[in-house]
Amino acid sequence: MSDLSVPAYLFVIDHRGGRGLADPEVLETAVREAAAAAGADILTAEFALRPDASGPAGVAWLRNGRITAQCWAELEYAQFDLIIPGEGAAQRAADQLARSLLPDWAKVTAVPLNHLSHLPPD
């Protein structure tokens, strides 16, 4: 069971423009670098071009989370979901994705996952 005292966030990241939006190998390398920047261990990763050839997609399963990626090359758009527990870990991964892929514009939305203040009192 995970330690709920450790902060965890879902980061939803939007990138416009940048490099590697049509190349699954570039995308996988960027995700692997992001996981390393976060100090996360990758259990398995799989990236491929979608059947309609609109762009690559993939997932890296981490020991305690995941990074998913989807790109639409014709729209020059990429979207990432990161769940990486640990203080600042997801932010370090998001920063590394931006350094690797060099988007023209990026937006990061962080949603706390183990925020327990919504629970009713005992």
Side-chain angles (χ1 to χ4, degrees):
M1 184 167 158
S2 294
D3 179 359
L4 294 180
S5 67
V6 175
Y9 294 88
L10 164 63
F11 271 38
V12 180
I13 303 169
D14 299 296
H15 281 188
R16 293 278 185 187
R19 60 185 284 288
L21 296 180
D23 187 337
E25 290 179 11
V26 171
L27 186 63
E28 181 174 354
T29 297
V31 167
R32 286 182 177 279
E33 290 171 351
D41 295 324
I42 296 175
L43 300 176
T44 186
E46 186 171 339
F47 290 80
L49 204 55
R50 285 195 298 276
D52 64 1
S54 60
V59 62
W61 291 105
L62 311 175
R63 185 166 311 284
N64 290 323
R66 65 171 167 76
I67 301 173
T68 64
Q70 300 179 80
C71 295
W72 291 268
E74 73 278 8
L75 301 175
E76 296 186 7
Y77 174 74
Q79 188 271 325
F80 304 88
D81 293 339
L82 287 67
I83 298 176
I84 307 173
E87 191 67 49
Q91 185 63 58
R92 290 191 302 274
D95 293 345
Q96 182 59 49
L97 282 172
R99 283 192 296 274
S100 295
L101 299 173
L102 303 171
D104 300 324
W105 176 90
K107 178 182 177 188
V108 177
T109 304
V111 179
L113 294 178
N114 58 359
H115 182 66
L116 301 178
S117 66
H118 67 281
L119 296 176
D122 290 335

